[in-house]
Amino acid sequence: MSVKLIAIGNVLMKDDAIGIEAARLIEERLNEKGIEVIYGEADFEYCLSKIKKDDVLFILDAASYGKNAGEITVIPLNSYTINKNGYTQHNYSFLDLLKLYYPYVEGKIFAIEAKEIELGFGLSSKLEEKLIDISKEILYNIEKDLEELNLLNTNKGEIRYA
């Protein structure tokens, strides 16, 4: 079993890259704890190839729920449901495919509210000014979740594998 953080998003679409940018800020701390950071961007097949059935996953992605820019919605993976009746795997999102291929994988989705998803490099000024706080909140929640799962050795800050 491994603990992995998967950052997805399109770096050519402004705030769609918020998951990538947040992961970059906390990657060193996560690596120190034995957490693998995967930059999947928009390559869902690459992301899926890095997952094992007993992994614990934390997924960072941009969202448009109509909330304030930078607000984080945390969704347990086991509560995510596929909203399609498809007969092909084309046009499924990464999360849809994850549920098809790994229906029992544990973890959480950190959906970060975007302000501007449009062609362009770099985050909007609103998300740029909140990026450090967003990253800290994600790191805090990951550490808390790992403690609750008895996977974090709080004395050393390392992952304990079953």
Side-chain angles (χ1 to χ4, degrees):
M1 182 215 13
S2 296
V3 179
K4 297 172 181 170
L5 179 133
I6 300 176
I8 55 180
N10 187 336
V11 296
L12 302 175
M13 297 293 292
K14 295 191 82 160
D15 289 350
D16 195 49
I18 186 62
I20 305 292
E21 296 301 326
R24 286 181 179 148
L25 287 182
I26 61 175
E27 179 176 17
E28 188 175 328
R29 282 284 302 275
L30 294 173
N31 283 295
E32 288 170 359
K33 297 176 182 307
I35 299 171
E36 180 181 358
V37 177
I38 300 164
Y39 293 97
E41 295 189 19
D43 189 347
F44 301 158
E45 290 175 354
Y46 172 73
C47 293
L48 288 171
S49 75
K50 303 298 266 174
I51 298 170
K52 305 283 187 265
K53 68 179 179 177
D54 59 349
D55 286 342
V56 174
L57 303 179
F58 295 100
I59 299 168
L60 305 185
D61 197 8
S64 290
Y65 293 132
K67 297 181 176 184
N68 294 323
E71 191 172 335
I72 301 170
T73 303
V74 181
I75 305 160
L77 277 175
N78 61 9
S79 71
Y80 178 81
T81 57
I82 298 172
N83 296 321
K84 297 180 183 179
N85 290 328
Y87 300 102
T88 175
Q89 69 180 16
H90 298 289
N91 296 322
Y92 278 86
S93 74
F94 167 68
L95 294 172
D96 294 334
L97 293 174
L98 179 65
K99 287 302 276 192
L100 282 174
Y101 292 111
Y102 301 98
Y104 304 110
V105 73
E106 298 230 8
K108 295 208 173 146
I109 303 161
F110 293 92
I112 307 158
E113 191 70 20
K115 173 115 175 102
E116 301 172 21
I117 297 181
E118 59 190 35
L119 191 59
F121 290 106
L123 299 174
S124 66
S125 60
K126 193 70 165 170
L127 281 191
E128 189 65 46
E129 70 185 39
K130 293 182 174 189
L131 180 58
I132 291 173
D133 290 335
I134 290 167
S135 301
K136 285 179 181 178
E137 184 177 340
I138 291 167
L139 182 62
Y140 171 80
N141 279 291
I142 289 172
E143 290 173 339
K144 189 176 94 179
D145 289 345
L146 293 175
E147 284 179 24
E148 289 173 6
L149 292 169
N150 287 323
L151 294 176
L152 187 64
N153 181 341
T154 52
N155 295 329
K156 295 184 180 180
E158 299 170 347
I159 302 299
R160 178 177 35 232
Y161 295 102

